Amino acid sequence: MLWPAIEAGTVSSSEDLEKSLRYYNISWSSGATVGPLIAGLVMAALNVSNVFYVASLMALLACFSVLSSMRASRRKKVKSGEISFKAALLTLKSSTSLYLPLSSSFFYSFIVSIVFTFFPPYAVDKGISVLEVSFLAFLHGVVRTCFFSLMKYIHSRFRENLLIELSTPLLGVSSLLIYFGLSPLHYLAFLTMGILVSLMYSTSLLTVMRKAKSKTGLYAGLFESAIGFGYMTGPLIGGLLSEYRRDFPFLLCGLAGLAIFIAQTMLRKKLSENKKRPFMHRP
């Protein structure tokens, strides 16, 4: 419930869609970046239980921040269209242009959830320290946040659909680097994943919310539902594979990248055929 509400509120209360979403992405990415590093430092210096004390303190501070912002925006009225399961299905059926960003969002979260779920136990087997694992996550977050800040210039030079079509399959390829088990490849994988995640996530969110108009809550819900479904199925399938070998989930990431490339190729072909098909008037 949190993410769609924040995205819908961000879009509804802003006149510059691209700028607002860029600041939103920088904001959440910054928090997600310093979190693993702080957790790693606390675990290395103290113990695991102290990480949750720090997290509780940050949650309390966030609560006070939200309450103060609610007072400032209480008088603002946000228009919203119908939000229901039926409305979501009708939107998906009528808006074929949503297929690309939503399918890519699913595969993005599927791949990322596998990497961040199964890399820590895999790293332990390889003798990698907790601090180094935290630093890899920190490196990923720093690169992701930096590229979020550059998206205005990237979007002005490249087509949005092209960024989505390239970033998600390459995300699977970069995750596959972990499968080979070499430490330098781990750094390369997390670095390239940070770049690709920023390209895919920001572009897909911008593409979806640009079509929302008054139905910001509905479209934000569709976007986050696609991501949530990926986060749900990725660890589940990856967990089944990890029962056989610890590195099999990363091989699955590579196959997921191939799957989205094939799906995008078929979707592009279908959409081009629909555009070429002549419109027939009923007599």
Side-chain angles (χ1 to χ4, degrees):
M1 295 177 65
L2 176 65
W3 293 92
I6 295 176
E7 290 162 359
T10 300
V11 172
S12 300
S13 59
S14 174
E15 297 180 357
D16 190 336
L17 179 63
E18 192 280 332
K19 181 179 179 180
S20 298
L21 291 178
R22 177 159 34 93
Y23 286 166
Y24 159 75
N25 288 329
I26 293 172
S27 177
W28 74 255
S29 183
S30 299
T33 297
V34 299
L37 183 64
I38 294 175
L41 292 172
V42 172
M43 288 176 64
L46 301 173
N47 54 55
V48 176
S49 61
N50 285 277
V51 174
F52 298 100
Y53 295 138
V54 175
S56 299
L57 176 62
M58 296 302 295
L60 186 62
L61 293 175
C63 181
F64 286 122
S65 175
V66 170
L67 289 175
S68 62
S69 64
M70 285 176 63
R71 288 183 178 181
S73 60
R74 185 174 295 176
R75 296 181 179 180
K76 294 182 179 180
K77 294 183 178 180
V78 177
K79 295 181 179 180
S80 177
E82 180 188 357
I83 300 178
S84 64
F85 184 70
K86 182 179 179 181
L89 291 178
L90 290 174
T91 301
L92 286 175
K93 186 176 179 180
S94 60
S95 302
T96 55
S97 58
L98 291 177
Y99 293 170
L100 177 62
L102 292 182
S103 62
S104 297
S105 299
F106 163 74
F107 277 99
Y108 137 75
S109 58
F110 182 88
I111 293 171
V112 170
S113 65
I114 287 177
V115 172
F116 280 90
T117 300
F118 296 103
F119 183 74
Y122 171 78
V124 171
D125 284 353
K126 294 293 183 180
I128 302 174
S129 68
V130 173
L131 190 58
E132 186 173 357
V133 173
S134 299
F135 179 75
L136 286 169
F138 177 72
L139 175 66
H140 168 87
V142 168
V143 174
R144 180 187 61 211
T145 306
C146 289
F147 270 80
F148 274 148
S149 64
L150 298 174
M151 289 312 300
K152 176 181 179 180
Y153 308 101
I154 295 175
H155 285 152
S156 65
R157 287 163 175 77
F158 300 97
R159 289 189 303 109
E160 292 176 8
N161 283 354
L162 178 63
L163 292 174
I164 298 174
E165 290 170 359
L166 290 178
S167 58
T168 314
L170 289 176
L171 185 63
V173 174
S174 63
S175 305
L176 189 61
L177 295 174
I178 302 174
Y179 175 77
F180 297 104
L182 299 175
S183 183
L185 292 182
H186 295 161
Y187 284 87
L188 180 61
F190 277 86
L191 191 148
T192 54
M193 283 175 58
I195 298 173
L196 295 169
V197 165
S198 66
L199 294 177
M200 200 294 309
Y201 186 93
S202 60
T203 308
S204 294
L205 179 59
L206 178 63
T207 302
V208 171
M209 298 310 293
R210 186 177 282 145
K211 303 177 186 299
K213 297 181 181 179
S214 64
K215 299 180 179 180
T216 54
L218 174 60
Y219 278 70
L222 288 173
F223 176 75
E224 290 298 332
S225 294
I227 291 179
F229 191 60
Y231 273 112
M232 179 183 70
T233 55
L236 178 63
I237 300 175
L240 295 174
L241 292 177
S242 67
E243 290 292 322
Y244 297 95
R245 276 184 56 175
R246 291 276 190 175
D247 54 358
F248 273 5
F250 309 114
L251 183 61
L252 176 63
C253 291
L255 295 176
L258 178 62
I260 187 60
F261 175 76
I262 295 173
Q264 288 175 351
T265 302
M266 295 174 62
L267 177 62
R268 195 184 311 114
K269 183 178 179 181
K270 182 179 179 180
L271 292 177
S272 62
E273 288 176 353
N274 290 340
K275 289 181 180 179
K276 293 178 181 179
R277 190 177 300 166
F279 179 78
M280 302 296 292
H281 290 278
R282 183 176 295 178

